[in-house]
Amino acid sequence: MAEGALPRRLFPYNAGFLRDRRLRRILTLAGHDLTLGWPASGDGVAVWGRSPHAWRGERVARQAGVPLVRIEDAFLRSVKPGRLGGGRLGLILDGVGVHFDGHAPSRIEALIVGGVQDPDILRRARIGIARIRASDLSKYNMHLPGALPEPGYVLVVDQVAGDASVRHAGAAPGVFPAMLAAARAEYPGARIVVKTHPETALGLRAGMMARDGAEVISAQISPWALIEGAAAVYTLSSQMGFEAILAGRRPVVFGRPFYAGWGLSDDRLARLPRGIATAEQLFAAAMILAPIWYDPCRDRLCAFEEALDQLEAEARAWREDARGHVALGMRLWKRGRVQAVFGGARPVRFADTPKVALALALARGADLLVWAARGVEGLPLRGDAAPMVRRVEDGFLRSRGLGADLVPPLSLVTDDLGIHYDPARPSRLERLIADGPPPGGIARAEALVAGIVAAGVTKYNISGVPLPAFAPGRRILVPGQVEDDASVRLGAGAVRTNLALLQATRAANPAAILIWKPHPDVAAGLRPGAVPPDRLSGLADHTLTDVDTAALIALVDEVWTMTSLLGFEALLRGKVVTCLGMPFYAGWSLTRDLGPVPDRRRRLAETARPSLAALAHAALIAYPRYYDPVSRLPCPAEVVLHRLATGTVPAASRANRLLAKAQGWAAGHAALWR
């Protein structure tokens, strides 16, 4: 066994290792076998940190003369605590000690002492710190926006009674009252706020600190928001002390956690300093180098950033769904996916009329989900008593197959301001584009776009017949649209039909090779917008259906469109795009706009000047919610790209298509499909 390497076979003596399927899976992927029996030479013993049951494994390791491996959760664990079913995203395996026990070295301490100097690791650490702050992520993530004390208070952090991080912090009994007394003495007259542990707030475990006249916050409130408003932070060994350092504070520390002793904290427990380190070096050791991170959707180990992508998706879903939803205007075949995407925190209730939907939402304190194309008539959109209304639509990386074939989407967008295809009013997507991406967002979007282009992924991902050979010349692709679609009704300019689009494109480009691609739903006879063949003469040089959209875009020079998403897909592939309407991607100086640009968007564009990567981040990462049908978890865009690229998603079937035909027959019986 190489120096510093951990044994492959690990022998646990705690049933928790055998009951926890994800724990076993992470260890297996990391190359370890959990084995029952007595360890031999070359084996090791696994214990959970310094839990009350760890003594069993410790004794066996001593008697057998084999290494002891202590295992703990990583510092970004899950949305819910494990006692509520939260699935962990990472582990720290430590053959030296454990990070919260300052009486002995630990792997994290050794990494910091060794000096994290790699510029790329430190760059990742800087971005990682900024990302978890911007995404409001911590070890547990059930916190919601809530009332905060007026800034200037002194924050004293409580911990869980009997927890190993308390028992092994090195402090004397009575340390929590001593912390409270020190805060009062050092900040006389200041408001003292005690923050309970998340598990204490949920009634799962008892806390340590008596109220003693202090204001106690037991609500699930963001630790970052609390730290931001605090004049000082006092802690024994809580992770909030580490987060205070990452937020640029100098916490007062009464124990021996891994983050103390590096010149970044005010250490009150007598001890020798460990050395000098930066916040980025602490983060790099604790978050990037020490943990084993797990991707539960693709069932593989992953980098810190990929685990962060997953936790962002899960936390966003829980926070947006915590109040519950009542859904209006959802056809029967859409309801299963709506429930899967938005019902993770509380089941979605479905209603057929605005009156019933509103009554249910008010009774449950829930938000309203409305299919965007159905409109929100009859719903109050303002006022203290009105529920939040979010319009729902398919996302831009949708499926392998058409919605008209009843293939469920992998992504759905929700918009609390408007909807992306209606330029007459602001939308959440427009706001995201104007605000720009969060830290690391540009690089992430560039990598996502590169993956989309390399894999040939589009919205529907329908494979087709081989493309014909085109004559040399300037080639313009003209994508058809569904003429009664809301994106045309609301977003088109003077040109509002497919025939008019072809005529305008030919008039402006008399010598170009025009390639006409009818919309798949129109070509299938499911939606209106067909151009009669006799009208195509002199307008289109080629008419192509059932072809691969990505491959076709690669062979053209330009795209002319009203509001088609194909224009956005062409932009991602570096093509020149001319818009005769005002889709979400137009009006930002990235397209040639022949339609009317709203003054509002023109002003935003002049101020924000978004790059293509910033536009892609807003549209593909920040705006949609993604669902992985394999793991049945909320997931980031990268997972859906993987599913679409590898084909590991449900595709259109004959049964889907027959049901789509039946839906067309029943169009006059709308109640059946709501």
Side-chain angles (χ1 to χ4, degrees):
M1 187 168 60
E3 184 178 354
L6 299 178
R8 182 183 64 82
R9 287 206 310 175
L10 296 176
F11 287 74
Y13 297 92
N14 185 317
F17 280 91
L18 304 178
R19 288 194 301 263
D20 193 321
R21 181 180 300 177
R22 186 174 288 190
L23 170 61
R24 298 198 315 271
R25 182 58 179 159
I26 296 173
L27 291 173
T28 298
L29 290 170
H32 299 287
D33 293 335
L34 286 181
T35 308
L36 299 179
W38 190 263
S41 176
D43 295 331
V45 171
V47 298
W48 190 261
R50 286 195 175 274
S51 75
H53 306 291
W55 63 270
R56 302 168 185 160
E58 292 167 350
R59 184 172 65 181
V60 171
R62 286 193 302 268
Q63 292 176 352
V66 298
L68 182 70
V69 179
R70 299 190 189 273
I71 302 175
E72 274 283 341
D73 285 322
F75 296 111
L76 296 176
R77 186 195 187 279
S78 52
V79 175
K80 301 177 182 179
R83 287 173 172 81
L84 292 182
R88 60 175 53 87
L89 291 176
L91 294 172
I92 297 175
L93 276 62
D94 198 327
V96 181
V98 66
H99 60 81
F100 52 74
D101 184 356
H103 295 93
S106 69
R107 172 164 164 72
I108 291 178
E109 181 177 327
L111 287 167
I112 301 170
V113 169
V116 182
Q117 303 296 337
D118 186 317
D120 183 61
I121 295 292
L122 292 175
R123 177 191 60 81
R124 291 172 62 193
R126 285 191 293 273
I127 295 172
I129 293 170
R131 275 191 68 180
I132 64 173
R133 292 185 65 185
S135 299
D136 203 4
L137 296 178
S138 186
K139 184 172 184 178
Y140 306 120
N141 295 280
M142 293 179 71
H143 43 271
L144 297 167
L148 292 166
E150 286 294 321
Y153 51 85
V154 176
L155 180 62
V156 183
V157 185
D158 194 12
Q159 291 179 242
V160 172
D163 192 75
S165 66
V166 173
R167 289 186 286 109
H168 295 277
V175 65
F176 283 94
M179 274 201 304
L180 199 56
R184 286 199 171 104
E186 292 164 14
Y187 290 86
R191 186 179 187 181
I192 306 297
V193 172
V194 173
K195 175 64 177 76
T196 61
H197 189 276
E199 290 186 294
T200 302
L202 292 166
L204 302 173
R205 301 170 75 184
M208 290 289 296
M209 196 170 294
R211 290 178 179 268
D212 196 19
E215 178 182 346
V216 177
I217 294 182
S218 57
Q220 299 284 356
I221 293 179
S222 162
W224 297 103
L226 281 173
I227 291 167
E228 181 68 27
V233 178
Y234 285 69
T235 184
L236 174 67
S237 59
S238 168
Q239 182 170 322
M240 281 189 72
F242 178 41
E243 290 164 341
I245 290 173
L246 300 182
R249 304 305 183 87
R250 186 179 177 84
V252 181
V253 181
F254 281 70
R256 290 189 176 99
F258 77 91
Y259 55 81
W262 305 102
L264 298 170
S265 54
D266 181 352
D267 302 325
R268 299 298 173 86
L269 193 64
R271 59 181 298 167
L272 292 174
R274 287 164 162 161
I276 300 297
T278 65
E280 288 81 7
Q281 289 173 319
L282 260 65
F283 186 92
M287 295 287 206
I288 298 175
L289 299 176
I292 298 168
W293 294 107
Y294 175 64
D295 177 348
C297 295
R298 288 170 280 192
D299 188 32
R300 60 174 176 79
L301 299 185
C302 64
F304 159 72
E305 291 82 0
E306 293 172 301
L308 185 54
D309 295 343
Q310 179 64 31
L311 187 56
E312 283 178 343
E314 292 186 24
R316 175 187 174 185
W318 190 89
R319 292 168 186 172
E320 290 185 359
D321 301 342
R323 288 162 47 93
H325 300 289
V326 175
L328 173 66
M330 307 292 172
R331 292 176 173 176
L332 284 177
W333 73 271
K334 295 178 180 178
R335 293 186 179 187
R337 185 50 52 90
V338 169
Q339 186 69 261
V341 175
F342 300 111
R346 297 175 63 187
V348 177
R349 292 287 300 275
F350 294 92
D352 291 328
T353 66
K355 182 179 179 180
V356 172
L358 180 60
L360 281 172
L362 292 174
R364 304 177 80 214
D367 299 335
L368 277 169
L369 298 176
V370 182
W371 197 260
R374 307 299 293 271
V376 294
E377 292 77 12
L379 293 174
L381 302 182
R382 295 178 179 82
D384 293 339
M388 176 179 286
V389 177
R390 291 190 173 101
R391 296 166 177 84
V392 182
E393 257 293 350
D394 289 336
F396 307 129
L397 296 176
R398 186 193 185 279
S399 54
R400 290 182 70 88
L402 299 173
D405 280 337
L406 308 193
V407 178
L410 301 178
S411 64
L412 290 166
V413 304
T414 61
D415 201 312
D416 58 328
L417 298 178
I419 193 65
H420 60 83
Y421 53 70
D422 183 359
R425 56 186 171 183
S427 71
R428 178 57 58 184
L429 177 54
E430 188 177 78
R431 181 75 56 83
L432 289 167
I433 296 169
D435 289 347
I442 291 293
R444 184 181 174 191
E446 289 174 343
L448 180 67
V449 170
I452 288 170
V453 173
V457 166
T458 58
K459 181 175 183 177
Y460 293 114
N461 304 286
I462 303 169
S463 59
V465 299
L467 291 168
F470 297 122
R474 180 164 150 260
R475 301 164 186 164
I476 298 177
L477 173 59
V478 184
Q481 293 183 243
V482 176
E483 291 182 350
D484 67 351
D485 190 74
S487 67
V488 175
R489 289 188 290 103
L490 300 174
V495 174
R496 309 185 66 81
T497 67
N498 289 324
L499 179 59
L501 171 64
L502 277 166
Q503 290 170 335
T505 306
R506 174 55 75 195
N509 304 277
I513 300 170
L514 263 58
I515 303 164
W516 167 238
K517 184 182 182 302
H519 190 280
D521 286 353
V522 175
L526 298 170
R527 304 286 297 276
V531 178
D534 62 315
R535 301 300 301 275
L536 290 173
S537 178
L539 296 177
D541 298 289
H542 300 272
T543 298
L544 301 180
T545 58
D546 299 323
V547 295
D548 185 313
T549 300
L552 180 56
I553 292 173
L555 294 179
V556 303
D557 302 292
E558 299 179 34
V559 169
W560 279 55
T561 181
M562 291 184 284
T563 62
S564 171
L565 184 67
L566 195 147
F568 176 59
E569 294 169 338
L571 271 183
L572 298 182
R573 291 161 171 82
K575 303 299 180 178
V576 175
V577 177
T578 298
C579 296
L580 284 78
M582 190 48 47
F584 73 86
Y585 54 86
W588 303 101
S589 300
L590 299 171
T591 54
R592 180 169 175 251
D593 300 321
L594 301 183
V597 180
D599 291 340
R600 178 195 71 256
R601 189 173 298 184
R602 196 185 303 277
R603 289 193 298 270
L604 288 173
E606 290 172 354
T607 303
R609 299 188 181 279
S611 64
L612 180 59
L615 177 73
H617 187 281
L620 298 175
I621 296 174
Y623 193 44
R625 290 262 299 267
Y626 291 96
Y627 173 76
D628 176 28
V630 178
S631 65
R632 300 183 180 179
L633 290 171
C635 69
E638 290 82 357
V639 168
V640 162
L641 169 59
H642 172 78
R643 296 283 178 233
L644 294 173
T646 58
T648 51
V649 291
S653 67
R654 181 175 179 80
N656 284 138
R657 287 187 285 273
L658 290 174
L659 188 55
K661 295 293 186 182
Q663 179 188 356
W665 171 84
H669 304 80
L672 179 65
W673 296 100
R674 287 177 181 168

